[in-house]
Amino acid sequence: MKGLAAKASETNSGQIPSQGALAGVRMLFVAPDDYPAFRVDLVELFSNHLVGRGLKIDWSLRPFEDGPARVDERGAERFYVAHRQMNGKLGSLRYRVAENWLRLKLAWRAARGDYDLIQVRDQPLWAITYGLAGKISGTPCLFWMSYPVLEGRLRDALENLIPMSWPARLVRIAYAVTGNFLFHKVALPLSSHVIVQSERMRERVGFRGIRMEKMTPIPMGVSTERYNAASIRPVDDPRVAGKKCMAYLCANVVSILTYLTFDALAELVAEGHDAVLVLIGAVPDFERDKLNARLEELGLSDRVIFTGRLPLAEALGWVKRADVCLSPFMMDAAQQVATPTKLVEYLAMGRPVVGTVHYDQNEVIHGSGTGFVTAYSGEAMAEGVARLFDDPEKAEAMGAKGPAWVKANRDYARLADAVERIYVDLLGKQRASELDSGELTQATS
């Protein structure tokens, strides 16, 4: 390993690393996320906090728009972008070939020892390629499991949550089942460390034979500097003037969860509440007609506002305007191990919440005292919302507890301490291993 690791080995892994412990360390980070990155954990945890502590990152992400192959440099970060020209199925195939070729070239660089750390996020089979590269070069390779990708794909295919043909469904099912075996039996054993999203995810992966001490839970969080209610102006929109307002914040508005919020709104209106629902997020084309048809059926078309994808400040302006924020969440095999981001975003903004039964949501809402947990039904959610609508002073007092709880438990500054500790510990172990190998070579020569 590089001389940089010598500094890392001097840091006690039982303490929060000092500023600069990662100075000069270069990491290759491979992920399926869009470029430019918009997910808050990538932007805040890595590009803000860890880069701010000296980490240099070479990113391999997927370009959101068409463009040539290139390397974009932004300070300590380099973004490797494959050529993308999505003109029909042939364009999609060409892009996939270009992306795979780029990632193989990056894997070759990793195998040569060009990096101090390798990290793969939510790409289970690529973890095998980069895990082998790490073994060849002696570079620590981590897998970041923010979501059980293969279980999610299996659920989508079995329940037909994403429109696809029967042959496509069968291919996806076969891929998920085969990939799940390879992931747990090959990819994770090759990894130097595994970062999971929750303690429950850690337990589940542990049941598949991965040592518990090899895994560390790092939940989703927020940056309390950006999610700061004092710096956000609430939206002033005539469509919500004088009405009780519920907000549902999500990256993509999809029917399987959104129907629940529609049902809750219908119950509230039937009980006499002059309420509106604001859906903050992009609506996929294949969902739009289904959502509109459901609203017409319920007679709620004039009581639901679709904002589309918004800049963060505007999205948070809607959250701040809301009287109650909603966090419906499924408890299937893929989702029960998650740590829902929207919930802590609501809390950071000081809003009272109603969330459905879910392991992490139960702990967060009960631990912070910021709202109510209900059964997974529109009627139950409506009852929780009505309790907050009917006692606005209590609702505001509950919401006011959120920012302090988030600051203490889910601020990305704190989460960055934990991630830095993992990196420094791995670099220290690698350096110690190199020193031992060198001493053994000298002793036998």
Side-chain angles (χ1 to χ4, degrees), residues 224-257:
T224 54
E225 294 178 1
R226 297 182 70 193
Y227 287 76
N228 183 346
S231 65
I232 299 294
R233 178 178 297 178
V235 164
D236 182 13
D237 191 296
R239 292 173 293 179
V240 296
K243 295 180 172 63
K244 292 291 187 180
C245 179
M246 298 185 294
Y248 175 41
L249 178 66
C250 48
N252 291 296
V253 180
V254 293
S255 58
I256 193 167
L257 290 174

Side-chain angles (χ1 to χ4, degrees), residues 169-394:
R169 290 177 68 181
L170 292 174
V171 169
R172 181 170 287 223
I173 290 169
Y175 171 81
V177 172
T178 304
N180 213 15
F181 174 82
L182 292 173
F183 176 58
H184 289 94
K185 298 302 181 183
V186 182
L188 292 185
L190 281 172
S191 300
S192 305
H193 200 79
V194 182
I195 296 176
V196 294
Q197 192 175 142
S198 65
E199 186 61 41
R200 187 157 297 274
M201 183 183 283
R202 180 172 178 257
E203 292 170 357
R204 182 187 291 180
V205 176
F207 289 148
R208 300 293 296 269
I210 306 302
R211 292 180 292 107
M212 298 293 279
E213 61 268 21
K214 188 178 179 178
M215 298 179 284
T216 303
I218 303 291
M220 298 294 287
V222 298
S223 169
T224 54
E225 294 178 1
R226 297 182 70 193
Y227 287 76
N228 183 346
S231 65
I232 299 294
R233 178 178 297 178
V235 164
D236 182 13
D237 191 296
R239 292 173 293 179
V240 296
K243 295 180 172 63
K244 292 291 187 180
C245 179
M246 298 185 294
Y248 175 41
L249 178 66
C250 48
N252 291 296
V253 180
V254 293
S255 58
I256 193 167
L257 290 174
T258 307
Y259 285 168
L260 212 64
T261 66
F262 291 173
D263 292 343
L265 177 61
E267 290 281 342
L268 289 163
V269 172
E271 293 170 6
H273 292 280
D274 188 11
V276 294
L277 171 65
V278 181
L279 298 173
I280 309 165
V283 182
D285 291 338
F286 68 87
E287 293 284 3
R288 190 176 302 276
D289 290 342
K290 290 192 293 184
L291 293 171
N292 287 332
R294 180 63 174 161
L295 286 176
E296 293 218 7
E297 180 184 332
L298 294 171
L300 297 174
S301 297
D302 61 341
R303 290 185 176 271
V304 175
I305 300 169
F306 293 91
T307 70
R309 182 180 290 182
L310 296 174
L312 180 63
E314 291 183 39
L316 295 182
W318 278 108
V319 170
K320 188 170 181 179
R321 168 59 185 85
D323 298 286
V324 178
C325 291
L326 306 179
S327 187
F329 219 76
M330 298 174 68
M331 273 287 280
D332 62 13
Q335 299 287 355
Q336 64 184 223
V337 296
T339 55
T341 309
K342 65 175 67 66
L343 180 62
V344 290
E345 290 173 340
Y346 298 151
L347 267 58
M349 293 300 297
R351 304 318 301 142
V353 296
V354 171
T356 58
V357 172
H358 177 272
Y359 294 114
D360 187 67
Q361 293 201 148
N362 294 356
E363 294 172 4
V364 171
I365 294 174
H366 291 149
S368 61
T370 51
F372 300 119
V373 177
T374 74
Y376 185 79
S377 74
E379 181 180 2
M381 290 193 75
E383 290 178 4
V385 173
R387 291 173 65 185
L388 295 171
F389 278 175
D390 292 340
D391 193 345
E393 290 186 4
K394 179 179 180 180

